[in-house]
Amino acid sequence: MTRAEATEAPEVTAGARRLYNSAVVVYAVSAAMELGLLDEIRRNDKVDLVAFATDNTLDRNIVSAIADALAAGDVVTRDPGSDLVCRGGEFDGVDHASPFFYWLTRGTSRLLSRLPDYASDRTPPTQPDEDPWGRDMRAVAIASRTASERFFNQTLRSELAGVDFTRVADLGCGSGDRLIMLLNMREGARGVGVDIASPALDLAHEQTGRAGLRERVEFFHEDVTTMPARPEFADVDLLTCFLMGHDFWPRDTAVRTMRMLRDAFPNVRHFVLCDECRVPEPFTLDSTIFTMGFMLAHAGMGKYIPAIDEWHSVFEESGWRCRAVVPSGVPESNVVFHLTPLER
Amino acid sequence: MTRAEATEAPEVTAGARRLYNSAVVVYAVSAAMELGLLDEIRRNDKVDLVAFATDNTLDRNIVSAIADALAAGDVVTRDPGSDLVCRGGEFDGVDHASPFFYWLTRGTSRLLSRLPDYASDRTPPTQPDEDPWGRDMRAVAIASRTASERFFNQTLRSELAGVDFTRVADLGCGSGDRLIMLLNMREGARGVGVDIASPALDLAHEQTGRAGLRERVEFFHEDVTTMPARPEFADVDLLTCFLMGHDFWPRDTAVRTMRMLRDAFPNVRHFVLCDECRVPEPFTLDSTIFTMGFMLAHAGMGKYIPAIDEWHSVFEESGWRCRAVVPSGVPESNVVFHLTPLER
C-alpha cells in the first residue's frame, strides 16, 4: 500500500466505535450481574470496588476493568482513579434488562461466535457433557428464571386469576420456579414438570424440596414433543409452556405436537403458552430487547420461530381455541396465548 | 409481586436496547467477515443472499439472519422480504474495523463471557489443545494479520524507509506475514521469527514457503521473554515486535526482558516495538476502537497493559534510547516506539 492509497482508505467511523464499545459494555453488564455488582449498586446507589472485591473474594483488577466498561455505557459513573462507582444514568434500564444481556453473552456467545461454522455445516467440537451448540445452559436457565421473575410471572398470574386448577403440568419446567409459583397460588394443587435437560431437573428437585413442595410435584425427564401419555397426566387441568413452544415447529410437527398434548392431557381446561414470536418489522438498534439475538441464535441452530399468525393457524387444526392473546410486555415480541380445548 | 409493584418497576430503556442490539450486530459483522459477505459487498455494493449462500455452500437461513442483524446496524440495507442487500451507511466504517470486531467475538468472546470465573479465581475447563483462556487463537491470528495489513504495516514501512537492515528478527512473529513483508522490502535480507504458538509457526513456515522465502528465514519455537541467545541472533540488525510487548510486563520483568534483548542481539541497530498502551481517559461508547475490549480481556487474564509513560520509564534502564514515538493511527491507543541501542 502506498501513502496515497492509505490516505484514501476508509476511516473507523463513530458508528463502528459505538457498536464495538457497546458490545464490550454488554460483556461487562453480564459479568457484573453474575458477580452481584448490579445488585449491590441497586441496593446502595454507590459501591466501593475495593471493599466489594474484598468482601466477595474477587480479583480487584478484573472488577475495576468491568466497572470501567460499565462507566463507558453510563451504567455507572466513576471518577478517574477512584474506587467508588455510583449509579449511572443508564443503570435502571440496563439492570432491569440484565437477564437478556446475560443470556446473550454468558449463555449464548459461543454459539453466536460460531455462526460461520453452522452456516458452513461444520460442527465444532464440544465436550460430552456440553450443549451441542456450545451454549452455557446453566447461564441460560438463570437468565430465563430471572427474566420470568421480572417480566413473565406477573402476566401468568393475571391470566390465571380467574382460573380454577387442581393439577398443573409445566412443559419445559426448567428450574421448577414456575411450578413453585403456581402451586403456591392454589392450596392443595399438585404439579407435574417435564424437561429434556437433566441438570435443570436436578435443580427443580432441589428447589421444590426447599420450598416444601416435594410431595405435591412429580418430574419426568422427557422431550415434550415426543413424550408418551402417562397416568399422571390424566387429571391435569392446567398446562403451561414457557419459551419452548418454538421447539414444536416447523408447522407440521407443531400441529402434531399440539394435537398430542390435547390427547395426552384429556382433562385439560386451560393451556397458557408463552413464547417469543417472529416480528415482521426489520430490526434496528432500537428494536425490542432480546428478540434480535434470539432470532440470530435460533437461525444458527436451524430452529424456526413462528409469527403470531402462524401460531393462530395451528390452534384449531390441533384441537385448541385461542381465548386470549396477551403481550407479556417485555420482550415486546413475547406473547401469552391462553388456549382452551375445542370440543370434539 | 403485586400489580402496583409491577407498575413501579423500571423500564427497559432505549439505552439498554441499543447496547444489547449493538452487541448482536457485532456478532453478525464478525460472522459476515469470516463468511466473505463483507468482501462481497465491498466489491459489488449489492449482494443477492440466495446466490451468495448457494455459491459458497452456506445455510441460507443463517446468512439471512446475519443480514437482518447487519441491517439493524445500517451496515447493509435490505427491503423486508428481499434477498438483496446493499451497502448501508455504516458499511465502510464497520467493514474497515471488522478485524477488531472479529477479534472481540470470534477470538475473545469466551474469555469475556467467563470474566466472573476468572474474577473468582475459578478456572473453567478447556480441552488440552485449547487456549487456557478459551480464546480462539486462529481467529485472533486472523484478526491480527488483517489489522496489520490495514493499519500497522504502513506505519512500519514508513518508519523503516530510511533504515538499512540485512537481518531482521520478528519477536512474536505469528503467521509470518510481517517477516514476509520486511524481507520483500530489502533484497537479500534474511529473517528470524520467534513465537510461542506452534500452530502460528506452522502457518509461518507454510506462508514463507509459498512466498518463496524459505531459504531466507529461520523460525524458533520459544517464549520471547525467556529465550536463550543464539548464534543466529548475532548478526540481526533490526528487531520488530508487534502487539506482544505487554507480555514483558510487569515493570521489573519488562526491564529484564528489554535488557536481555539488548544482549541477545548484540549487533541490533533498530528496534521497532508496536503495542496497545493504557490510556488515562475514561472510556465512553465513542472511545477508540479495540482498546476497551483489549483492556477488559487482559484484565481477565491478569495481564498488565503499560501506559506510554511506563514504557518510557523502562527504555534507558534497559539499554535503549527512544528515537521516535509514532501513533499508528488505528487503534488510537496503539503506538510505535522506534528504539536504538544505547552505547554501553
Side-chain angles (χ1 to χ4, degrees):
Chain A
M1 212 200 294
T2 67
R3 237 170 224 280
E5 278 165 354
T7 312
E8 287 161 18
E11 286 179 6
V12 176
T13 50
R17 292 171 178 215
R18 291 187 77 84
L19 287 172
Y20 177 95
N21 287 322
S22 296
V24 179
V25 174
V26 170
Y27 286 110
V29 170
S30 179
M33 172 180 156
E34 182 167 338
L35 294 174
L37 182 58
L38 296 186
D39 292 339
E40 196 72 12
I41 297 168
R42 194 186 319 123
R43 277 194 294 263
N44 301 323
D45 287 334
K46 60 182 71 174
V47 171
D48 181 273
L49 295 175
V50 173
F52 176 79
T54 306
D55 293 350
N56 295 280
T57 333
L58 297 174
D59 181 280
R60 224 183 253 200
N61 293 325
I62 298 179
V63 170
S64 177
I66 290 168
D68 282 342
L70 293 177
D74 196 23
V75 180
V76 303
T77 59
R78 179 180 193 181
D79 290 328
S82 163
D83 289 320
L84 195 71
V85 296
C86 298
R87 182 189 291 254
E90 296 290 347
F91 182 83
D92 287 349
V94 167
D95 174 48
H96 197 51
S98 58
F100 302 116
F101 287 47
Y102 192 68
W103 173 87
L104 184 73
T105 61
R106 180 74 161 177
T108 314
S109 65
R110 204 160 167 220
L111 158 62
L112 291 170
S113 301
R114 289 171 159 190
L115 284 174
D117 294 326
Y118 300 124
S120 312
D121 205 14
R122 291 190 302 261
T123 309
T126 45
Q127 289 176 292
D129 55 344
E130 270 185 334
D131 175 68
W133 306 99
R135 291 173 299 177
D136 180 333
M137 293 311 286
R138 187 170 175 279
V140 168
I142 290 169
S144 176
R145 181 172 63 189
T146 314
S148 288
E149 285 164 8
R150 292 191 191 169
F151 305 111
F152 310 144
N153 286 354
Q154 177 58 25
T155 312
L156 175 59
R157 292 169 68 101
S158 303
E159 202 53 35
L160 293 180
V163 166
D164 277 331
F165 63 89
T166 58
R167 191 167 176 112
V168 52
D170 190 28
L171 310 174
C173 64
S175 62
D177 288 73
R178 189 166 26 257
L179 273 175
I180 292 169
M181 183 190 88
L182 291 166
L183 297 186
N184 283 331
M185 280 174 71
R186 296 289 183 278
E187 207 178 332
R190 298 177 55 80
V192 171
V194 184
D195 208 285
I196 199 171
S198 49
L201 286 176
D202 293 344
L203 187 57
H205 271 285
E206 196 189 305
Q207 306 256 83
T208 45
R210 204 176 297 147
L213 294 168
R214 189 159 291 160
E215 303 297 306
R216 289 168 58 190
V217 62
E218 286 166 290
F219 291 105
F220 298 100
H221 183 205
E222 298 266 22
D223 180 343
V224 169
T225 62
T226 58
M227 67 184 179
R230 291 180 176 278
E232 292 85 351
F233 295 172
D235 57 350
V236 165
D237 48 7
L238 171 64
L239 277 183
T240 53
C241 180
F242 273 62
L243 301 184
M244 71 149 287
H246 54 276
D247 286 332
F248 299 174
W249 288 71
R251 190 177 189 287
D252 54 342
T253 56
V255 170
R256 198 185 318 138
T257 302
M258 293 290 284
R259 192 176 287 151
M260 173 278 283
L261 293 176
R262 180 81 182 75
D263 294 336
F265 298 91
N267 288 304
V268 71
R269 295 173 56 208
H270 297 272
F271 182 5
V272 180
L273 174 69
C274 171
D275 209 353
E276 278 290 297
C277 290
R278 179 180 298 271
V279 289
E281 296 81 29
F283 295 118
T284 71
L285 295 184
D286 297 308
S287 288
T288 172
I289 196 99
F290 188 55
T291 316
M292 185 161 73
F294 181 83
M295 294 301 292
L296 188 57
H298 283 79
M301 293 186 280
K303 291 193 175 167
Y304 186 75
I305 307 296
I308 292 184
D309 288 351
E310 292 176 284
W311 272 115
H312 280 297
S313 83
V314 155
F315 295 143
E316 295 225 353
E317 192 173 337
S318 56
W320 301 94
R321 182 194 313 280
C322 185
R323 201 170 114 152
V325 184
V326 187
S328 74
V330 175
E332 286 166 28
S333 47
N334 203 63
V335 165
V336 172
F337 296 105
H338 187 153
L339 310 174
T340 51
L342 278 177
E343 300 294 322
R344 307 199 207 216
Chain B
M1 213 201 295
T2 67
R3 234 169 226 282
E5 280 163 355
T7 312
E8 287 159 22
E11 287 180 7
V12 177
T13 50
R17 292 171 180 215
R18 291 186 78 84
L19 287 172
Y20 177 95
N21 288 323
S22 295
V24 179
V25 174
V26 170
Y27 286 110
V29 170
S30 178
M33 172 180 156
E34 181 168 338
L35 295 174
L37 182 57
L38 296 186
D39 291 339
E40 196 73 12
I41 297 167
R42 195 186 319 123
R43 277 194 294 263
N44 301 322
D45 288 333
K46 59 183 72 174
V47 171
D48 181 275
L49 295 175
V50 173
F52 176 79
T54 306
D55 293 349
N56 295 281
T57 333
L58 298 173
D59 181 282
R60 220 184 258 200
N61 292 326
I62 298 179
V63 169
S64 177
I66 290 169
D68 282 341
L70 293 177
D74 196 22
V75 181
V76 303
T77 58
R78 179 181 192 180
D79 289 329
S82 164
D83 289 319
L84 195 71
V85 296
C86 298
R87 183 189 290 255
E90 297 290 347
F91 182 83
D92 287 348
V94 167
D95 174 46
H96 196 51
S98 57
F100 302 115
F101 288 46
Y102 192 68
W103 173 88
L104 184 73
T105 61
R106 180 72 161 177
T108 315
S109 66
R110 203 161 169 218
L111 158 62
L112 291 170
S113 301
R114 288 171 159 190
L115 284 175
D117 294 327
Y118 300 125
S120 312
D121 205 14
R122 290 189 302 261
T123 309
T126 45
Q127 288 176 293
D129 55 345
E130 269 185 334
D131 174 69
W133 306 100
R135 290 173 299 176
D136 180 332
M137 293 311 286
R138 187 171 176 277
V140 169
I142 291 169
S144 177
R145 182 172 62 189
T146 314
S148 288
E149 285 164 7
R150 292 191 191 170
F151 305 111
F152 310 143
N153 286 354
Q154 177 58 25
T155 311
L156 176 59
R157 291 169 69 103
S158 303
E159 203 52 35
L160 294 179
V163 166
D164 276 332
F165 63 90
T166 58
R167 191 168 178 112
V168 52
D170 191 28
L171 310 174
C173 64
S175 63
D177 287 76
R178 188 168 25 257
L179 273 176
I180 293 169
M181 184 189 88
L182 291 166
L183 296 186
N184 283 332
M185 280 174 71
R186 296 289 182 279
E187 204 177 334
R190 298 176 55 79
V192 170
V194 184
D195 208 285
I196 198 171
S198 49
L201 286 176
D202 293 344
L203 187 56
H205 271 286
E206 195 187 307
Q207 306 257 85
T208 44
R210 204 176 297 148
L213 293 168
R214 188 159 293 159
E215 303 298 307
R216 289 168 58 191
V217 62
E218 286 165 291
F219 291 105
F220 298 99
H221 183 205
E222 300 266 23
D223 180 343
V224 169
T225 62
T226 58
M227 68 185 177
R230 290 180 177 279
E232 293 85 351
F233 295 172
D235 59 348
V236 165
D237 48 8
L238 171 64
L239 277 182
T240 53
C241 180
F242 273 63
L243 301 183
M244 72 149 289
H246 54 277
D247 286 333
F248 299 172
W249 288 70
R251 190 178 189 285
D252 55 341
T253 56
V255 171
R256 198 184 319 138
T257 302
M258 293 289 284
R259 191 175 288 151
M260 173 277 285
L261 293 176
R262 180 79 182 75
D263 296 334
F265 299 90
N267 288 303
V268 72
R269 294 173 56 208
H270 297 272
F271 181 6
V272 181
L273 175 69
C274 172
D275 209 354
E276 278 292 295
C277 291
R278 177 180 300 273
V279 289
E281 295 80 31
F283 295 119
T284 71
L285 294 184
D286 296 309
S287 288
T288 172
I289 196 99
F290 188 54
T291 316
M292 183 161 73
F294 180 82
M295 294 299 294
L296 188 58
H298 282 79
M301 293 185 281
K303 292 193 176 165
Y304 185 74
I305 307 297
I308 291 184
D309 288 350
E310 291 177 285
W311 272 115
H312 280 298
S313 83
V314 154
F315 296 143
E316 295 225 354
E317 193 173 337
S318 56
W320 300 93
R321 182 195 312 280
C322 185
R323 201 170 114 152
V325 184
V326 187
S328 75
V330 176
E332 286 165 29
S333 47
N334 204 65
V335 165
V336 171
F337 297 104
H338 187 154
L339 310 174
T340 52
L342 278 178
E343 300 296 322
R344 308 195 207 217

